[in-house]
Amino acid sequence: MKKLLLTGFEPFLSFPINPTEKIVTALDGQEISGYQITGLLLPVDYNSSAGRLLEKMRAEEPDAVISLGLAAGRSSITPERLAINCRDGAADNNGVVLEDAPIIEGGPDGYFSTLPIRRMVNTLKESGFPAEISNTAGTYLCNNVMYAVLHELAEAGKKVPAGFVHIPASHELAVAGKKTMPSWSDRDLLEAVKVLIGALG
Ligand code: PCA
């Protein structure tokens, strides 16, 4: 049985709920499409989130790594194409604000996702879920963990598919937030993530 490390994030900024948390909790310990899943919830914290993920990755030696994050405002499931060596933007949950800061001093400008993102998008659409490739993971925590994982695997010369997928808000979050926020049911979000895992191959 292959091993999949599946990560999500705690709530952050003005969002009282992070739908990735429920998904990771629901799928932890499950077997899907030939993968035994280990779920890991990450803090929205520049100082520790990437380190926690890398620590788990070193301990578990998974065959694939999918990290999930909330992109409130997006209406589709969006596998990210690229992570860049930059941290810049809003405060993390500890109030840390970074501007134009590299993730790895002197590291490569960017890394492409090594997940089968085109196949993931096509499989999601065939299963009836709106999906598209996103060309920017932003410069906040999601980009940070995606870059850190891809950098670690590249440095180690490991061919482990890894990358990041942003998901839309859940209905629960939309009800608590802005009226115009597109949202999906928790059930559909969970089902779509199962489809993503099935597309790993
Ligand atoms: N989304 C944020 C960080 C945590 C999350 O779920 C992001 O897109 O960077």
Side-chain angles (χ1 to χ4, degrees):
M1 174 83 57
K2 289 195 269 188
K3 292 193 281 183
L4 168 68
L5 179 56
L6 181 72
T7 75
F9 276 107
E10 65 183 10
F12 63 104
L13 295 174
S14 60
F15 308 113
I17 294 159
N18 192 328
T20 65
E21 186 169 351
K22 262 193 193 159
I23 295 171
V24 164
T25 308
L27 296 183
D28 182 37
Q30 303 270 318
E31 281 176 32
I32 294 173
S33 304
Y35 284 88
Q36 173 73 42
I37 299 170
T38 297
L40 176 69
L41 194 66
L42 297 171
V44 175
D45 170 12
Y46 282 120
N47 285 322
S48 68
S49 57
R52 290 249 196 116
L53 207 170
L54 295 182
E55 202 178 290
K56 194 72 164 178
M57 215 166 81
R58 288 173 196 141
E60 297 267 330
E61 303 217 314
D63 300 286
V65 183
I66 298 179
S67 295
L68 301 173
L70 165 69
R74 288 193 192 169
S75 54
S76 303
I77 303 284
T78 47
E80 297 293 343
R81 195 192 298 273
L82 188 67
I84 60 172
N85 192 13
C86 178
R87 300 192 281 191
D88 185 292
D92 72 8
N93 284 355
N94 289 322
V96 173
V97 179
L98 296 174
E99 199 177 62
D100 308 328
I103 296 165
I104 304 280
E105 199 74 54
D109 291 340
Y111 286 103
F112 284 109
S113 175
T114 53
L115 294 175
I117 56 171
R118 181 65 62 191
R119 186 163 74 227
M120 284 174 155
V121 164
N122 290 343
T123 312
L124 280 163
K125 286 190 190 162
E126 281 156 20
S127 308
F129 294 113
E132 60 183 327
I133 290 173
S134 159
N135 292 316
T136 173
T139 51
Y140 194 48
L141 268 299
C142 295
N143 174 70
N144 192 155
V145 300
M146 179 176 172
Y147 185 94
V149 167
L150 290 168
H151 182 70
E152 165 109 352
L153 291 169
E155 291 282 294
K158 287 195 177 151
K159 297 254 172 285
V160 171
F164 203 94
V165 180
H166 270 115
I167 69 168
S170 58
H171 293 328
E172 200 184 4
L173 174 57
V175 166
K178 284 198 202 123
K179 264 189 266 172
T180 50
M181 191 186 283
S183 60
W184 287 31
S185 67
D186 279 325
R187 195 188 52 195
D188 279 354
L189 287 172
L190 182 64
E191 200 49 44
V193 170
K194 290 183 185 171
V195 170
L196 269 179
I197 296 167
L200 274 174

